[in-house]
Amino acid sequence: MQTPRVIKLLVFSDISCPWCYIGLQEMDRAIDQCSECPARFEVEYRPYRLNASLKDGQSFPKREWFEQRFGKEKSDTIESIISTRAKEVGLNIKLFDGVVSQTTLAHRLLTKAWKLGGQAKQLPLLTGLFKGYFEDGKNVGDIQTLAEIAASCGVMSEEETIKFLESDELLPEVEQMMLDVRKKGVTGVPFVVIDGKSLRRLAGRISHRQCHLHQPARIPHSIPTAMRVRVSRSRFLLL
């Protein structure tokens, strides 16, 4: 029996990004559909700060935040598009429920989860954070809220989580990862690095009907020639 090839996916995302939540759902489904491929996927989520101007500790009602940035008409259009797509993949995103806050604490917690148990710890936490933020209106910039989510996902107890988040543990590492990915020219998420060789942003739609392994394709000179994720309506391809 052929030994499955391990394909490492680094996915840069932010808890405040609805397309990252949708992309998580779509990627999970796509990988499930690749069960017969001669490959095994190891997925690690890395930090990205989408709202870089937002200071730690600040929070604003989501609708107010969106309307200040985009205006009411455009905000309503964005909400409609995201809500429709979310329902198509089984999610109930409520874009304007709750508050917008900086996600540094959540990223530190996700990094800690990875160090504690790899994707087995990190992915349930990530899903819990996304659900809390987009479906339950929770403030992911609040330490107690994060502690409750971490405990419910089996990452750490509430007490351990609070102690961790009140310290500076992993803060320099998380800040450096966010700085490094910006230096590479990444300006939007979700964004994927495959086997440490290639960067490419994920589109808003991923279909899972087909999964094929191909040889490396030509890509822009600014991105190393290597494997990459290509997304279309009909395929999720690992090139």
Side-chain angles (χ1 to χ4, degrees):
M1 183 176 179
Q2 183 178 358
T3 302
R5 174 188 174 194
V6 178
I7 298 176
K8 173 78 173 186
L9 302 179
L10 296 181
V11 183
F12 289 85
S13 69
D14 193 6
I15 304 303
S16 64
C17 168
W19 291 114
C20 294
Y21 189 17
I22 292 169
L24 169 65
Q25 186 82 347
E26 292 177 320
M27 179 172 282
D28 284 348
R29 290 185 179 186
I31 290 175
D32 286 343
Q33 292 298 318
C34 293
S35 59
E36 295 184 2
C37 295
R40 179 173 62 83
F41 297 89
E42 180 180 292
V43 184
E44 178 185 354
Y45 280 79
R46 292 280 183 91
Y48 188 91
R49 193 153 39 209
L50 197 60
N51 300 311
S53 63
L54 192 62
K55 296 180 181 179
D56 289 322
Q58 285 185 313
S59 63
F60 300 93
K62 288 180 183 177
R63 178 173 285 278
E64 176 185 319
W65 174 263
F66 271 87
E67 290 186 1
Q68 284 183 352
R69 298 185 72 186
F70 305 111
K72 185 179 187 307
E73 184 176 351
K74 188 173 182 180
S75 294
D76 288 341
T77 299
I78 292 171
E79 191 276 335
S80 178
I81 292 171
I82 289 172
S83 178
T84 298
R85 182 61 190 141
K87 289 177 182 177
E88 291 174 357
V89 298
L91 301 177
N92 183 29
I93 289 180
K94 303 169 187 174
L95 193 63
F96 297 142
D97 283 8
V99 298
V100 174
S101 57
Q102 191 51 270
T103 51
T104 307
L105 289 171
H107 286 309
R108 285 178 54 216
L109 188 55
L110 284 164
T111 304
K112 180 69 171 180
W114 176 263
K115 290 181 179 296
L116 288 173
Q119 64 187 38
K121 289 277 190 182
Q122 191 186 57
L123 289 180
L125 175 61
L126 181 65
T127 300
L129 290 170
F130 274 136
K131 183 179 184 300
Y133 185 74
F134 284 113
E135 299 190 29
D136 302 329
K138 294 184 178 180
N139 180 3
V140 295
D142 176 70
I143 289 179
Q144 181 59 46
T145 298
L146 292 173
E148 292 169 2
I149 294 174
S152 70
C153 296
V155 177
M156 293 187 289
S157 69
E158 288 189 28
E159 293 76 12
E160 289 171 328
T161 304
I162 290 171
K163 182 179 179 180
F164 163 71
L165 291 175
E166 287 181 343
S167 75
D168 290 331
E169 184 181 347
L170 295 181
L171 179 58
E173 182 175 338
V174 167
E175 292 282 2
Q176 190 62 50
M177 283 192 286
M178 292 190 286
L179 179 62
D180 288 346
V181 75
R182 289 273 186 179
K183 286 182 177 180
K184 294 181 188 301
V186 177
T187 58
V189 287
F191 204 98
V192 177
V193 180
I194 305 175
D195 285 340
K197 300 175 183 177
S198 168
L199 292 173
R200 185 168 178 88
R201 188 175 177 184
L202 283 176
R205 288 177 177 268
I206 301 177
S207 177
H208 334 289
R209 296 177 184 174
Q210 301 181 40
C211 174
H212 306 291
L213 295 176
H214 292 272
Q215 294 300 315
R218 290 183 62 84
I219 52 180
H221 69 276
S222 60
I223 302 173
T225 302
M227 296 174 62
R228 65 180 179 180
V229 170
R230 176 178 156 195
V231 182
S232 71
R233 291 190 177 184
S234 61
R235 299 183 177 187
F236 174 79
L237 302 179
L238 296 175
L239 297 178

